[in-house]
Amino acid sequence: NASRKQVQKSSRKQVQKTHGTTVFLSFPRQTSASEKMTTGDDEPQWRKVHSVTGVIPRSRHGHRAAAIRELIIVFGGGNEGIAEELHVYNTVSKQWFLPAVRGDIPPGCAAHGFVCEGTRILVFGGMVEFGKYTNNLYELQASRWLWKKLKPRAPRNDLPPCPRIGHSFTLVGNKCYLFGGLANDSEDTNGNTPRYLGDFYELELQSGSGVRGWNVPDTKGGGPSARESHTSVAYTGHGSPKLYIFGGMQGVRLDDLWQLDLDTMVWSTPHTRGSTPLPRSLHTASTIGNKMYVFGGWIPVPETDKPNDLGAEWICTNSLSVLNLDAMIWQNLDPEQRDDIQSQLQSQEPQSDDLYACRPKARAGHCAAIVGSRLYIWSGRDGYRKRTNTNYQVCCKDLWYLETVRPATPDAVLLIKSTLSMLHMAWRPLAAADCYILQIQLVHPPSAPTSDQPASQPGDPAGTDRQEEKSEDAADDEAPQPQSEGISKKEEKAIAQDVSAQQETPLKAENGSTQIETQAEGERSAGKEAEGDYDTERSASGQEMLATEVSSTTQQQPEKQDGTVENPADLYTHTDQALQNPEEAVWFDVGVFKTLFSEVTHYFLPPDSDQATAAVSSRPTNTKEPLLQRKLPSHQDYADREKRDLAPGQTYRFRVAGINCFGQGDFSPISEFKTCQPGFPGAPSSVKISKANDSVHITWEAPSSPSGRILEYSMYMAVKKSRSSSSERPGQMAFIRIYRGTKASCTFSSTQLDNAHIDCSASNRPAVVFRIAAKNEQGYGPATQIRWIQDPNKLRTSASRTDSGAKANQDAADSSS
């Protein structure tokens, strides 16, 4: 219609300087009130990724991508032949790398199915060479970069899916849904007799690894026509889970939307409002929250551009449309641009990238992946353009992401190291943050020594004054009390290098149930957090050595003269309860950082010591200031501000928030830490855990000890609570002492882990918790908490075996080749 033909280029761009890095911000075009959705949110913004490093894959089309935490895994596609390598992009470090894959490595393929469930990826079908399609199914265990060819059971009353390309393959719960595609019915290996497919299959997955078999569901309501190069997304809103099929190709491009209710298995065509996107194929559709974002693809040439020099009926587009899956309202955020259309139709020569572009160029056959609230797209075919003197298509090389909301709420700030006048803080990355603001709050002034309890005389957290005949693993032994979880020494180094120097490759311990990762150049585990939960190194014998997630605190405990248990509230790691209300007290800015760490030695007072006019501290966390008027905070905000140094023995609270082009997100939960007092030993560091045969070996580095040598160490492990302790405060962990001695290492039987408490409080990363502290002549110093990350799949398997015994599942198919 006329509105689609009259497109205007009204996007604007702005260049800002932030911490020495040029940031390109694109701002939304003006839309009519009737075209806007009634959410009140800012429109999504495209951002181009600059300064990418590592082994950058060659540009291509027909590839697929999936996200595991902060990593984007790209496989297949091609241009000058089909690509066989598996590429991984780290969205935090902006680095590409090639993991060392092993196992049943599949051949390269294009236009295949690609889904991710946890840390495993399934690949189905695709084109392995011209005219040759496949129906093989492969599984990649990204926690070990291990490929495995699967052999799912055939349907009971039908044939398994035939070889195909251009199909959709969508994960919902523990099932994958396969629809459509294109088959080649030619008997000549060099021929191509295409046949559009409209079949629908269901593939049931096994927990952790493997699949059961194919099934042909009994659906009602007709269903979409046969097609290929369409998209399929899953959405579970307020009702039953649903599958949405949009667009595709069946001789002509399609623009129909189909919905499948997965509870009733009824197909329907939902009634939508707003501007329906043009018919298209080879586009991408991705869901973030309750919205489906449709980008790019092949669309019809507008009537006003027919005929044209190329005689083209179809062109690529860079339009962006979004469908609210609750309200069923389409919104055309970035319509087709007239300049882009004419550029495609008038020239087939490659064009150089526009460094100041505020939106991706038109493309088809690209890949898309969701990381947090960001939609990433990479490469794809650049319209009709071909390379000079070759028959190869020109493919885009650029990487973009779509910013859709403010950053999420971060996890609590972590402590790496504490000294007399410095707290080395770190925080985990947010997928949608460009920088971070760190704030500090004083809890109370340092306590003055008293005659009977000097402030510089912390006691033995393990109860050193108890009778020696008490068992060292007695359940009423008291563990050191760290205040907040932190990270290991190697992880500290990785953060200090802005997560750009090294990646890690994961390997599974043969004899253990934990997920262990081995550090190697240029590789990163897909089962790992952006900054990692732990770092490892391999010993000379080849045994995996694990330095786990570690925390330190300088909060000292009063001397214990008997075996009584401390206040249960002291076992809490995040201290939101304190002597003053954190919300009523003043928060001061430490600074704004593009890194994920800060060695905090001072903080900034408000301008002119006027707390009411603080430029950043008093800024609301969710301002609705118009996007064009917003300014990202920078170091210049603190140029003329007075500093205040950290004091010894002082307790401080910390919180952090992410910032992007939409503004500042919510602050993290509050963490509380204390600078060291003179004389006491520091916290043990560089903790490494190895598991071999039937024993667990833990080592650590001795901390500094200003007042003489280290007299002893105490190591504790969190254990399952007995029924008699069920009335204790929720979240409280019970500990037993597993080591007390002078050596900076200990070994215990792996059978002791059977009684270990599995802590799932930290972002659902299950872990065994240890605590360790050192003692010198002054007493025990700050404790270090270690979270030994466990493999959730093996934990689920172990729990399932416990519940069901040794009963075998007769429906499980042989999933090995």
Side-chain angles (χ1 to χ4, degrees):
N1 55 33
S3 63
R4 288 177 178 167
K5 298 175 185 176
Q6 298 174 354
V7 292
Q8 298 178 352
K9 193 170 186 178
S10 57
S11 296
R12 292 168 289 180
K13 57 179 176 286
Q14 177 175 322
V15 180
Q16 293 186 350
K17 289 284 187 178
T18 305
H19 309 291
T21 302
T22 303
V23 179
F24 297 91
L25 302 180
S26 60
F27 297 99
R29 63 183 181 85
Q30 299 298 318
T31 57
S32 64
S34 61
E35 193 178 4
K36 285 180 175 291
M37 304 173 100
T38 58
T39 60
D41 295 335
D42 292 313
E43 289 186 355
Q45 306 297 309
W46 283 113
R47 306 288 298 276
K48 188 174 183 179
V49 180
H50 299 275
S51 304
V52 175
T53 61
V55 185
I56 301 175
R58 70 177 189 267
S59 57
R60 64 193 65 187
H61 60 99
H63 52 295
R64 300 290 186 262
I68 300 178
R69 297 191 179 100
E70 80 281 5
L71 304 181
I72 298 177
I73 291 86
V74 176
F75 181 66
N79 191 16
E80 302 176 33
I82 296 177
E84 297 182 348
E85 302 87 0
L86 185 79
H87 290 267
V88 181
Y89 176 71
N90 187 313
T91 59
V92 175
S93 63
K94 296 183 180 180
Q95 184 178 32
W96 287 97
F97 65 93
L98 283 168
V101 296
R102 56 198 177 96
D104 306 324
I105 301 175
C109 57
H112 47 287
F114 202 68
V115 299
C116 177
E117 192 260 342
T119 58
R120 65 168 165 173
I121 291 175
L122 294 175
V123 181
F124 174 76
M127 180 172 65
V128 292
E129 57 185 71
F130 178 78
K132 183 180 180 180
Y133 308 159
T134 182
N135 60 352
N136 287 333
L137 178 66
Y138 288 87
E139 176 187 82
L140 172 69
Q141 288 287 348
S143 61
R144 295 175 289 170
W145 301 124
L146 177 65
W147 282 107
K148 187 177 184 180
K149 187 176 183 180
L150 306 181
K151 294 182 179 180
R153 184 191 60 235
R156 288 184 173 87
N157 301 318
D158 211 324
L159 296 174
C162 66
R164 65 189 66 203
I165 63 171
H167 48 284
S168 59
F169 198 48
T170 314
L171 176 72
V172 184
N174 69 331
K175 295 180 180 178
C176 288
Y177 294 93
L178 169 68
F179 172 73
L182 188 70
N184 182 6
D185 288 342
S186 175
E187 296 181 358
D188 184 358
T189 55
N190 295 320
N192 191 6
T193 306
R195 174 170 58 92
Y196 292 101
L197 301 170
D199 48 1
F200 184 69
Y201 286 87
E202 177 184 85
L203 178 66
E204 185 176 359
L205 310 184
Q206 291 181 169
S207 176
S209 177
V211 296
R212 297 185 184 278
W214 293 105
N215 180 40
V216 179
D218 183 16
T219 61
K220 304 176 181 64
S225 60
R227 65 190 66 197
E228 57 104 4
S229 298
H230 54 283
T231 54
S232 172
V233 302
Y235 175 64
T236 302
H238 304 298
S240 58
K242 295 177 176 62
L243 202 66
Y244 291 94
I245 306 289
F246 175 71
M249 178 74 171
Q250 190 189 32
V252 296
R253 266 79 186 183
L254 306 170
D255 64 351
D256 53 343
L257 176 70
W258 284 85
Q259 171 187 287
L260 175 65
D261 188 310
L262 293 175
D263 282 348
T264 63
M265 282 296 171
V266 175
W267 285 103
S268 62
T269 53
H271 174 70
T272 62
R273 294 178 290 159
S275 302
T276 303
L278 292 171
R280 65 191 61 212
S281 65
L282 289 172
H283 54 287
T284 55
S286 310
T287 54
I288 302 176
N290 67 340
K291 296 180 176 64
M292 178 177 76
Y293 293 86
V294 176
F295 173 76
W298 286 99
I299 62 171
V301 171
E303 292 295 329
T304 54
D305 293 292
K306 294 180 181 179
N308 51 71
D309 295 341
L310 300 178
E313 295 288 333
W314 310 93
I315 57 170
C316 287
T317 182
N318 60 351
S319 62
L320 175 67
S321 295
V322 59
L323 174 65
N324 185 312
L325 295 170
D326 290 330
M328 282 296 159
I329 300 176
W330 282 104
Q331 183 184 11
N332 194 355
L333 297 179
D334 277 327
E336 289 71 27
Q337 301 285 354
R338 183 58 176 260
D339 292 349
D340 293 332
I341 294 173
Q342 293 180 344
S343 173
Q344 286 191 64
L345 297 176
Q346 292 175 1
S347 173
Q348 294 189 61
E349 294 298 321
Q351 296 182 344
S352 58
D353 290 337
D354 181 2
L355 295 178
Y356 298 95
C358 58
R359 60 188 292 190
K361 64 174 64 175
R363 68 192 68 202
H366 52 283
C367 70
I370 300 295
V371 179
S373 59
R374 284 178 173 173
L375 167 62
Y376 282 82
I377 65 164
W378 177 70
S379 202
R381 180 173 168 178
D382 187 2
Y384 290 99
R385 298 188 178 98
K386 297 182 179 180
R387 296 184 181 177
T388 307
N389 300 325
T390 71
N391 196 35
Y392 295 123
Q393 302 294 331
V394 171
C395 291
C396 305
K397 300 178 181 179
D398 49 355
L399 174 65
W400 291 76
Y401 64 83
L402 185 72
E403 198 79 273
T404 60
V405 293
R406 290 179 179 84
T409 303
D411 290 340
V413 177
L414 310 173
L415 177 67
I416 295 177
K417 183 180 180 181
S418 174
T419 67
L420 295 175
S421 59
M422 186 272 291
L423 293 171
H424 191 162
M425 314 306 301
W427 49 92
R428 301 188 186 282
L430 294 175
D434 294 323
C435 55
Y436 301 85
I437 179 170
L438 180 66
Q439 291 191 335
I440 192 173
Q441 183 184 89
L442 281 72
V443 176
H444 53 76
S447 302
T450 62
S451 58
D452 58 342
Q453 182 61 60
S456 60
Q457 281 285 342
D460 176 4
T464 56
D465 293 327
R466 299 177 189 173
Q467 296 297 321
E468 289 302 320
E469 61 266 18
K470 290 181 69 71
S471 170
E472 287 201 348
D473 61 355
D476 61 348
D477 278 349
E478 296 176 15
Q481 308 298 318
Q483 290 178 301
S484 182
E485 293 168 9
I487 53 181
S488 66
K489 183 176 180 181
K490 285 193 174 182
E491 190 170 7
E492 170 189 351
K493 182 179 179 181
I495 292 178
Q497 295 171 344
D498 202 16
V499 209
S500 61
Q502 291 185 340
Q503 312 293 343
E504 288 124 26
T505 298
L507 296 174
K508 288 288 185 180
E510 295 299 327
N511 300 319
S513 61
T514 59
Q515 179 170 302
I516 296 180
E517 299 189 331
T518 302
Q519 190 167 353
E521 289 292 332
E523 298 173 0
R524 173 174 284 275
S525 159
K528 192 166 160 52
E529 289 292 320
E531 295 310 316
D533 293 324
Y534 37 78
D535 296 302
T536 63
E537 59 186 29
R538 183 180 293 274
S539 66
S541 63
Q543 180 185 31
E544 285 87 1
M545 304 291 292
L546 175 63
T548 62
E549 182 177 318
V550 175
S551 64
S552 301
T553 176
T554 54
Q555 180 69 31
Q556 311 290 346
Q557 289 75 40
E559 185 77 35
K560 296 293 179 182
Q561 302 299 330
D562 53 30
T564 59
V565 179
E566 290 180 304
N567 185 345
D570 294 337
L571 286 170
Y572 279 78
T573 55
H574 296 302
T575 315
D576 289 333
Q577 303 83 14
L579 300 181
Q580 59 193 87
N581 189 336
E583 300 304 325
E584 296 177 357
V586 177
W587 285 93
F588 301 95
D589 288 357
V590 176
V592 175
F593 306 90
K594 294 186 75 67
T595 59
L596 298 170
F597 69 95
S598 173
E599 293 185 350
V600 181
T601 59
H602 61 267
Y603 54 90
F604 293 95
L605 300 181
D608 300 326
S609 297
D610 183 4
Q611 296 177 355
T613 59
V616 183
S617 300
S618 60
R619 182 175 53 250
T621 60
N622 279 311
T623 175
K624 290 296 183 179
E625 182 183 5
L627 188 61
L628 283 169
Q629 299 177 15
R630 294 178 194 159
K631 177 181 179 295
L632 294 180
S634 65
H635 290 307
Q636 284 81 6
D637 294 331
Y638 307 101
D640 300 322
R641 304 269 285 275
E642 182 182 351
K643 299 179 182 178
R644 182 66 54 84
D645 292 335
L646 270 59
Q650 170 69 56
T651 302
Y652 297 94
R653 295 191 183 102
F654 287 88
R655 65 182 186 180
V656 67
I659 301 172
N660 64 16
C661 65
F662 287 119
Q664 178 184 308
D666 291 333
F667 277 105
S668 67
I670 296 170
S671 299
E672 188 173 301
F673 306 101
K674 189 177 181 181
T675 50
C676 290
Q677 297 187 38
F680 293 92
S685 60
S686 298
V687 182
K688 299 180 178 66
I689 301 179
S690 60
K691 186 176 181 182
N693 299 324
D694 295 326
S695 64
V696 177
H697 187 61
I698 305 178
T699 62
W700 56 89
E701 285 186 6
S704 60
S705 179
S707 301
R709 63 184 181 86
I710 299 295
L711 300 179
E712 68 176 17
Y713 300 94
S714 286
M715 170 77 76
Y716 290 79
M717 180 180 72
V719 294
K720 301 172 184 177
K721 295 181 182 179
S722 63
R723 292 186 178 181
S724 60
S725 63
S726 60
S727 61
E728 294 175 356
R729 186 173 177 178
Q732 176 181 337
M733 290 185 288
F735 285 80
I736 61 170
R737 182 157 56 195
I738 59 175
Y739 172 74
R740 183 177 180 180
T742 58
K743 294 183 178 180
S745 64
C746 70
T747 301
F748 58 92
S749 172
S750 59
T751 57
Q752 291 183 255
L753 294 175
D754 295 339
N755 194 39
H757 167 70
I758 304 299
D759 177 43
C760 299
S761 60
S763 302
N764 297 319
R765 294 183 296 271
V768 176
V769 179
F770 298 97
R771 289 177 181 174
I772 182 174
K775 180 185 178 182
N776 65 7
E777 295 175 355
Q778 294 288 325
Y780 268 91
T784 298
Q785 177 162 298
I786 307 103
R787 301 187 73 254
W788 191 18
I789 307 301
Q790 305 293 295
D791 185 344
N793 291 327
K794 290 195 174 183
L795 289 176
R796 285 195 296 266
T797 301
S798 176
S800 175
R801 289 176 179 173
T802 302
D803 294 338
S804 60
K807 180 181 178 181
N809 192 329
Q810 298 178 355
D811 290 333
D814 178 11
S815 60
S816 61
S817 60

